[in-house]
Amino acid sequence: MTYVEDELNSQPECWTRAAGDAARHTAALPAAGERVAIVGCGTSYFMAQSAAALREEAGLGETDAFAASEFPRGRTYDRVVALTRSGTTTEVLELLTELKGRTRTVALTADPRTPVMNAADDVVVLDYADERSVVQTRFATTALTLLRAHLGLHTDAVVADARAALAADLPEGLVERTQFTFLGRGWTVGLANEAGLKMREASLSWTEAYPAMEYRHGPISISTTGTATWMFGRAPEGLAEQVRETGAMWVPGALDPLAELVRAQRLAVAVATARGLDPDRPRHLTRSVILAP
């Protein structure tokens, strides 16, 4: 078993622990009514997208998500939340250092021995969700679960769905597809983006991700018999039929969207294995992007 397989299989336990610990971190995490930005890089940026949409949808305050390198310096926020598994990513550390003393910051990280511990005003350490694989799975979903629980939006049903996602076989013929499109709506757009990234990283697959309603506005033109189109959450009316008419495989999101991401992680590993690739060590990638001065 690869590291990434072991790590993605442990997600139900990590989520349960994160949800149980959420109340301990209330003071560090955004309060209702605060204007908040959530930042990250790569996978963490896509989790930031989902967390920001969840918070706004819940009516808890204006919330934006940015890649750390694209944070708008001219805007003001009550609090900035940084997601960083390694705690060493250059763009995140530079932003936190710049905001020090001006905007309250909190970092969610997996490693308490890294520079982010001093760069942020508050730190939430999820060391039990750290990973050996370059490819992120459980840290990202555990961080999102913590934020979801903080918002009062996590239930035991989410963990039950994650266990179901790990136990059930993937749809027949899915691994053999040559192009994968992931769709979301609202908070699940970030999950769709992350599913596409997982497939690219681990299996070198041709993948795309879109807001579901945007799929009709051009991207559906690439859909063929070699395509799988996977919906995270409830699909727009009529879209499944339109996709099937192209000859593509339609994969409905029957589980909680975060559990659907677990299924997509499994697919990434399965496709990598079928292609003789090592999903723990994607080409050209490292655990953290650290730029030289």
Side-chain angles (χ1 to χ4, degrees), residues 66-181:
F66 301 103
S69 59
E70 298 300 315
F71 182 83
R73 267 59 177 182
R75 295 191 191 178
T76 58
Y77 291 93
D78 298 309
R79 195 177 312 234
V80 172
V81 179
L83 307 181
T84 170
R85 175 181 65 172
S86 68
T88 59
T89 303
T90 297
E91 299 101 299
V92 172
L93 292 176
E94 287 181 348
L95 177 60
L96 292 174
T97 299
E98 182 179 335
L99 295 175
K100 197 80 167 180
R102 293 169 35 203
T103 303
R104 188 154 194 87
T105 59
V106 56
L108 275 63
T109 188
D111 192 341
R113 299 159 297 180
T114 55
V116 78
M117 299 298 292
N118 295 319
D121 296 312
D122 298 295
V123 182
V124 176
V125 178
L126 306 173
D127 52 354
Y128 56 88
D130 202 357
E131 296 157 330
R132 297 182 69 177
S133 176
V134 169
V135 173
Q136 280 201 57
T137 54
R138 71 182 179 192
F139 174 76
T141 61
T142 300
L144 183 55
T145 296
L146 177 73
L147 294 172
R148 209 174 171 190
H150 174 66
L151 299 173
L153 300 175
H154 174 85
T155 68
D156 291 341
V158 178
V159 176
D161 276 3
R163 296 189 191 283
L166 291 168
D169 292 335
L170 293 170
E172 185 177 353
L174 182 59
V175 171
E176 290 72 35
R177 299 285 160 156
T178 56
Q179 192 274 333
F180 302 88
T181 298

Side-chain angles (χ1 to χ4, degrees), residues 39 43-44 57 59 74 84 102 106 120 133 145 153 159 178 181 184 199 203-204 232 236 249 270 280 284 286-287:
V39 302
T43 288
S44 292
E57 289 172 9
T84 170
R102 293 169 35 203
V106 56
S133 176
T145 296
L153 300 175
V159 176
T178 56
T181 298
M199 293 294 295
S203 66
L204 308 183
F232 282 74
M249 173 186 286
D280 283 333
H284 313 315
T286 57
R287 173 179 163 87

